[in-house]
Every structure is written in structure tokens, then in C-alpha cells.
């Protein structure tokens, strides 16, 4: 079992950049593919990005493609989501998640979830 704790969220202006971090503990981090999801008020939780166990494969959702970079440091048990050119529609609670299966965009393929970090982008 793995515990996940996100950090790095906050209030930013449109056009700003932000880097989210997710620290893992409790299990061997490199056993898991890692993903980021987000949930805006009144909306379903949606996929943002995912990275394979050793960082060799990545998957991005279309709304963030070209503006986001997911990476991981297995020595630090941490996955990151760097976002640039933030837009008000990026406002959401961002969650990291761990999967033993793949870098899927499907929520159901992820076994463990963090509590989330709020990102608010003002116009």
C-alpha cells in the first residue's frame, strides 16, 4: 500500500506557472505508474497526465498537452506536474494517484489516491 501527499497548489494568475508535487511513502515507489487527475466544482474527476514506473512513457490529456510536463524522481519517491500558461479553466483540486496497471487515463485503473491540492487560476 502507498500513501500519497500532494503539495504546491495555490492561487495564481492566468499565464503563470506552477509545479505540483506528490510524495509517496509506504511502498516501493517504482512499482507504480503515477497519474495526475483534477476535479473542478460540479464536474467529474478528469485525467491530466500519467508517467510510467521509470519515466519512459507519458500520457497527457488534450486540454493540458503542450502546457504540462509530468516527471518523477524515484530516488525521492516523488512525482511532479509542471504547468505553464495556466488558464482559469485549470482551476480544480489536483490529485495524484498510483496504478499497478498502466499509465491509463481511466480513474478506475488507479489503486491509491492522495487528498488533493487546490489550484485556483484567476483571470
Amino acid at each position: 500500500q502507498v500513501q500519497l501527499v500532494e503539495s504546491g497548489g495555490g492561487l495564481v494568475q492566468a499565464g503563470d506557472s506552477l509545479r505540483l508535487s506528490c510524495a509517496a511513502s509506504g511502498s516501493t515507489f517504482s512499482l507504480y505508474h503515477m497519474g495526475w487527475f483534477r476535479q473542478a466544482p460540479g464536474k467529474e474527476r478528469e485525467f491530466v497526465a500519467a508517467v510510467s514506473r521509470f519515466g519512459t512513457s507519458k500520457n497527457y490529456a488534450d486540454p493540458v498537452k503542450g502546457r504540462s510536463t509530468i516527471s518523477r524522481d524515484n530516488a525521492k519517491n516523488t512525482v511532479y506536474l509542471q504547468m505553464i500558461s495556466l488558464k482559469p479553466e485549470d482551476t480544480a483540486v489536483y490529485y495524484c494517484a498510483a496504478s499497478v496497471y498502466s499509465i491509463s487515463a481511466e480513474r478506475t485503473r488507479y489503486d491509491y489516491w492522495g487528498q488533493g491540492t487546490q489550484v485556483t487560476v484567476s483571470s
Side-chain angles (χ1 to χ4, degrees):
Q1 190 167 353
V2 61
Q3 290 79 46
L4 304 171
V5 179
E6 302 94 336
S7 62
L11 174 63
V12 297
Q13 302 273 352
D16 283 351
S17 300
L18 200 64
R19 188 176 81 158
L20 304 180
S21 300
C22 173
S25 62
S27 186
T28 304
F29 185 59
S30 60
L31 291 176
Y32 300 94
H33 306 285
M34 298 299 297
W36 285 96
F37 288 74
R38 67 186 182 185
Q39 188 166 17
K43 294 190 176 181
E44 296 277 319
R45 191 171 299 188
E46 66 175 6
F47 172 73
V48 176
V51 61
S52 60
R53 293 186 297 132
F54 296 99
T56 53
S57 297
K58 299 180 182 181
N59 186 16
Y60 294 95
D62 286 343
V64 304
K65 199 171 291 183
R67 299 190 296 120
S68 296
T69 302
I70 188 170
S71 62
R72 66 189 294 163
D73 185 337
N74 286 353
K76 295 183 178 180
N77 293 347
T78 303
V79 60
Y80 305 97
L81 181 68
Q82 176 75 48
M83 297 184 291
I84 64 171
S85 302
L86 283 161
K87 306 174 182 179
E89 50 264 43
D90 293 318
T91 295
V93 177
Y94 283 72
Y95 299 89
C96 73
S99 172
V100 298
Y101 299 106
S102 69
I103 53 172
S104 173
E106 295 293 326
R107 286 178 297 167
T108 57
R109 303 299 284 177
Y110 289 81
D111 308 283
Y112 304 102
W113 293 83
Q115 293 301 305
T117 185
Q118 176 72 47
V119 173
T120 302
V121 184
S122 63
S123 57

